[in-house]
Amino acid sequence: MFYNSGSLEFDPGTAENIDRFEQETGITVEVNEVPWSNLKTSLTTIWRNQDSQVDVFNGPTWWLADFVSSEWLEPIDLDSDHMNKFPDPLVDLVQFDDQTYMAPEFGKWGTYLYDQQYLEQQGFDSPPGTWDEVLSQGEQLSQGEKSGFAFTWADKSVFSFKQFLYQAGGQLFNDNNEPVFREEGVQALEFFSDLRERGIIPDGISSLGEGGIGDNFVAGQYATVESWTPLGSRAIEEWEEGRVGSARPPEGPGGRATFQDTNGISISAFSERKDAAQQFARFMTTRQSCKNNMLVEGNPCVVPDVYDDQEIKDEYPSWLLEDMRFNLENAQSETYMAQPQVDDFLNEQITTALLGNKDPETALSDAQSNIENLYQDIGLI
């Protein structure tokens, strides 16, 4: 029994890999298509009752800390050859005490895209390469109803904040579980404020999610955009040749990191079919399965050397593959306890600051204080 985060209709790569698994192993996979918004709640309810109805599920790495600490997940028996094909930062995300609790399946991290024809019309030979250039070029690129820059926010606010936090050289927590994001986070929020005050980002960005950003970019409303893949594949299909361009994320004070949002396969500690579940987790995250997901669905592959594969090169332009591989190898993320509560505290404050209703330093001081109190209450610090 595999709990998939959403309908397989929208996960054709996963569906095809399940078919391959059944054909090659003779093991039947029953899929429960759980709406994304309900998946974590459903799993939590099932496991609190120590129910065996779930064998495996796919979901994001950022649930792992809570699930592992609750002893709801079974370590996955994956040898070094299997795990060494993934980048070290990704391996670190899915391991606790040298045991693997999630097998990386596919990635969805930020990609920086731009309207190459429009930039050339405005006199720019290349897209902005730094935060300062995003600001300086963005004012000229913002003409009429066209915005110079846009990024996903609604339902992804904490993701977006983390990406710019890492580009500023910061992180959410130190090794002692203490929140330490305020200083570098202020730089990120001040960048957001500058974008808003100069009219570079679109009005209503606080309500713009992944779909809205993608739709509006393809409709020609944004000159440059930081969004979630596979928007690049979609723009290539819908625009004329030579219009869409890709670049590495604009460099902030601390670098060009993008946020690591990776889905993987985990095994329930209460499963009564753990041998089959182990085979499933391994098969769905082989090099071939990861590559197949990218070919079928357009999700970035979590195995760097796949980007050198001829089939991939035949499907995607080299300039896009180079940036996708760079983003994979330089992506950052963190796993942390009480993730829903932490993200709620962050979202409340950073959205308030984004809207200009609170200055960045006050907003992040309040967020950091709230998270410190939460972690003190649950005994983490």
Side-chain angles (χ1 to χ4, degrees), residues 134-358:
V134 171
L135 294 171
S136 61
Q137 294 185 22
E139 290 182 292
Q140 181 176 336
L141 293 172
S142 300
Q143 302 282 340
E145 295 183 358
K146 200 178 193 85
S147 297
F149 181 53
F151 51 87
T152 300
W153 193 262
D155 302 322
K156 300 276 189 181
S157 58
V158 177
F159 292 6
S160 295
F161 173 71
K162 287 180 189 176
Q163 176 154 324
F164 291 100
L165 173 68
Y166 298 143
Q167 289 174 5
Q171 61 188 63
L172 288 181
F173 295 94
N174 62 21
D175 292 339
N176 296 319
N177 292 320
E178 297 167 329
V180 292
F181 54 79
R182 181 172 54 200
E183 182 175 345
E184 289 82 6
V186 166
Q187 295 181 64
L189 290 188
E190 288 178 343
F191 178 53
F192 294 162
S193 296
D194 288 341
L195 289 167
R196 186 191 69 250
E197 291 169 1
R198 297 192 191 189
I200 297 170
I201 56 176
D203 291 337
I205 196 167
S206 62
S207 64
L208 284 170
E210 182 176 349
I213 289 290
D215 291 345
N216 292 348
F217 178 67
V218 171
Q221 295 180 23
Y222 307 146
T224 68
V225 63
E226 187 99 52
S227 190
W228 305 94
T229 48
L231 178 56
S233 303
R234 178 184 170 194
I236 289 172
E237 292 177 357
E238 298 194 28
W239 282 0
E240 63 270 26
E241 185 175 353
R243 180 176 175 184
V244 63
S246 171
R248 297 176 180 183
E251 185 174 7
R256 296 181 181 271
T258 188
F259 170 62
Q260 179 79 266
D261 178 19
T262 298
N263 267 34
I265 306 290
S266 290
I267 300 172
S268 168
F270 308 107
S271 168
E272 295 177 351
R273 293 176 285 266
K274 289 178 181 174
D275 287 344
Q278 292 276 356
Q279 291 183 60
F280 184 78
R282 171 179 289 277
F283 183 92
M284 295 292 285
T285 59
T286 62
R287 183 186 187 280
Q288 180 59 40
S289 292
C290 293
K291 169 186 162 184
N292 193 59
N293 200 305
M294 184 172 179
L295 286 172
V296 173
E297 192 170 338
N299 286 321
C301 184
V302 287
V303 181
D305 73 18
V306 163
Y307 293 87
D308 296 323
D309 192 285
Q310 191 58 50
E311 283 186 88
I312 296 294
K313 290 181 177 180
D314 290 343
E315 184 71 18
Y316 301 97
S318 59
W319 48 264
L320 180 60
L321 292 176
E322 290 171 3
D323 295 330
M324 292 172 76
R325 178 167 183 167
F326 175 88
N327 286 342
L328 165 63
E329 294 181 324
N330 291 273
Q332 296 184 35
S333 192
E334 302 169 60
T335 53
Y336 44 90
M337 297 289 292
Q339 172 263 327
Q341 298 96 314
V342 168
D343 287 4
D344 283 347
F345 283 134
L346 282 169
N347 175 65
E348 177 186 17
Q349 297 299 330
I350 59 182
T351 299
T352 300
L354 177 69
L355 295 174
N357 296 327
K358 186 180 286 190

Side-chain angles (χ1 to χ4, degrees), residues 67-114:
F67 284 175
V68 172
S69 67
S70 299
E71 299 183 346
W72 290 341
L73 299 183
E74 178 81 2
I76 308 176
D77 185 17
L78 298 172
D79 57 27
S80 58
D81 286 343
H82 190 94
M83 296 302 295
N84 285 346
K85 66 179 182 288
F86 305 116
D88 289 342
L90 179 52
V91 173
D92 290 342
L93 275 181
V94 299
Q95 291 185 338
F96 295 84
D97 297 327
D98 297 323
Q99 295 192 91
T100 301
Y101 287 90
M102 177 174 281
E105 185 181 13
F106 59 83
K108 285 189 175 180
W109 43 82
T111 298
Y112 188 62
L113 303 172
Y114 62 97

Side-chain angles (χ1 to χ4, degrees), residues 1-12 14-15 18 30-39 42 58:
M1 172 62 75
F2 170 54
Y3 271 43
N4 186 65
S5 55
S7 170
L8 287 181
E9 177 186 355
F10 304 107
D11 293 327
T14 299
I18 290 173
E30 184 176 349
V31 180
N32 190 336
E33 299 173 321
V34 185
W36 167 251
S37 58
N38 298 339
L39 181 58
S42 297
N58 69 356

